[in-house]
């Protein structure tokens, strides 16, 4: 499992320790030292997960968490709060602000990795390496392989991510903008019709086994995987 993680932490030693451990585990890391810096980075590239320190030099981490939750583009990004506070009331406040989990300093890198994995599995199953089956179509993220009725299907890298997202979120309609957020991440300069191009390619890739019928167009709304 490899994801883009934004670490928002103003203490250089802790920032470095976390970043090194994340990179060692195969993640790509971006660093911010204040809420303002984090906000600017998130506008450019949508991270898969944010590790957010509570005590930042400009505003509290909880303030940033609330702001991200209120914005359509960032409301679905999983957030884990990092803090030295251990009181029950603070935990409630952190979770109220929209954090998915909460980890108290000092923590072991092993514990942090386990929490990240658990949050991603729950919130972003398309980022995990779990094998998925939908109606005879099998997607293996670790091997980067798609099988339909025992036959390997050739799927391009973007179509693979798109299919992975759909297969982990069946029966829900996603707009083009939502798909850009979830699948492309960095989409500031990507047009919505790009989604249609890749949907077309994906359907072509699935045609030989008839699995193209799984990808439904919902008029005026977007696309859905019929599971
Ligand atoms: Ca701090």
């Amino acid at each position: 499992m490899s994801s883009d993680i934004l670490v928002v932490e103003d203490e250089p030693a802790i920032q470095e320790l976390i970043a090194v451990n994340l990179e060692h585990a195969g993640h790509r890391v971006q660093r911010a030292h204040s809420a303002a810096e984090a906000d600017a980075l998130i506008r450019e590239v949508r991270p898969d997960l944010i590790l957010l320190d509570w005590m930042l030099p400009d505003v509290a981490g909880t303030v940033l968490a609330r702001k991200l939750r209120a914005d359509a583009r960032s409301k679905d990004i999983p957030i884990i709060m990092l803090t030295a506070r251990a009181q029950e009331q603070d935990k409630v406040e952190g979770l109220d602000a929209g954090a998915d989990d909460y980890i108290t300093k000092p923590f072991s890198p092993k514990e942090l990795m386990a929490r990240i994995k658990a949050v991603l599995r729950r919130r972003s199953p398309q980022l995990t390496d779990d094998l998925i089956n939908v109606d005879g179509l099998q997607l293996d993220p670790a091997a980067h392989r798609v099988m339909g009725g025992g036959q390997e299907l050739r799927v391009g890298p973007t179509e693979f991510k798109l299919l992975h997202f759909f297969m982990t979120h069946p029966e829900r309609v996603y707009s083009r903008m939502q798909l850009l957020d979830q699948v492309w991440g960095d989409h500031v300069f990507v047009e919505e019709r790009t989604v249609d191009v890749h949907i077309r390619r994906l359907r072509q890739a699935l045609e030989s086994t008839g699995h193209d019928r799984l990808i439904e167009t919902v008029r005026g709304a977007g696309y859905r995987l019929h599971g």
Side-chain angles (χ1 to χ4, degrees):
M1 175 161 61
S2 164
S3 10
D4 291 296
I5 298 182
L6 173 63
V7 183
V8 191
E9 167 65 74
D10 60 316
E11 287 157 70
I14 299 176
Q15 165 86 262
E16 181 65 18
L17 176 76
I18 295 172
V20 165
N21 277 285
L22 289 174
E23 279 164 0
H24 188 72
H27 299 293
R28 291 168 300 273
V29 179
Q30 277 203 299
R31 305 174 187 214
H33 301 88
S34 65
E37 212 181 310
D39 208 20
L41 279 172
I42 294 162
R43 275 167 210 289
E44 277 177 45
V45 180
R46 182 188 187 277
D48 296 320
L49 184 139
I50 301 170
L51 292 176
L52 180 57
D53 185 29
W54 187 308
M55 300 291 274
L56 291 168
D58 43 2
V59 297
T62 46
V63 173
L64 179 62
R66 281 185 201 281
K67 191 177 171 198
L68 294 173
R69 286 291 174 257
D71 184 337
R73 264 211 70 200
S74 54
K75 72 176 169 54
D76 292 325
I77 304 174
I79 298 173
I80 298 178
M81 297 280 308
L82 307 173
T83 176
R85 304 173 179 214
Q87 289 166 336
E88 196 63 30
Q89 181 53 37
D90 295 329
K91 277 185 195 175
V92 172
E93 201 184 316
L95 297 172
D96 269 358
D100 294 276
D101 200 1
Y102 187 102
I103 188 163
T104 307
K105 296 176 192 172
F107 49 81
S108 73
K110 206 174 161 186
E111 184 189 1
L112 180 64
M113 295 307 142
R115 297 287 191 98
I116 290 174
K117 210 167 181 174
V119 167
L120 285 177
R121 179 156 282 139
R122 190 170 76 236
R123 293 285 311 276
S124 314
Q126 76 277 13
L127 299 174
T128 69
D129 281 344
D130 299 342
L131 197 74
I132 323 160
N133 275 290
V134 175
D135 204 5
L137 186 69
Q138 187 187 67
L139 185 139
D140 181 348
H144 215 272
R145 184 184 292 153
V146 179
M147 304 285 288
Q151 173 193 338
E152 183 167 355
L153 302 172
R154 291 178 66 92
V155 176
T158 303
E159 290 74 37
F160 188 91
K161 283 177 77 177
L162 197 53
L163 183 61
H164 196 183
F165 179 75
F166 275 131
M167 288 177 77
T168 48
H169 299 79
E171 302 297 351
R172 276 181 62 185
V173 182
Y174 289 93
S175 69
R176 288 165 181 81
M177 188 52 84
Q178 285 173 317
L179 290 170
L180 285 173
D181 274 336
Q182 297 281 353
V183 177
W184 275 259
D186 179 12
H187 65 74
V188 183
F189 303 107
V190 183
E191 290 180 64
E192 288 196 19
R193 65 167 177 242
T194 302
V195 174
D196 302 328
V197 172
H198 289 280
I199 289 277
R200 195 152 61 233
R201 286 188 197 155
L202 177 58
R203 281 178 172 147
Q204 278 165 4
L206 304 179
E207 222 168 24
S208 64
T209 56
H211 286 103
D212 54 314
R213 73 188 144 76
L214 293 179
I215 315 285
E216 288 181 299
T217 303
V218 182
R219 279 193 71 174
Y223 297 99
R224 167 173 60 201
L225 182 119
H226 180 65

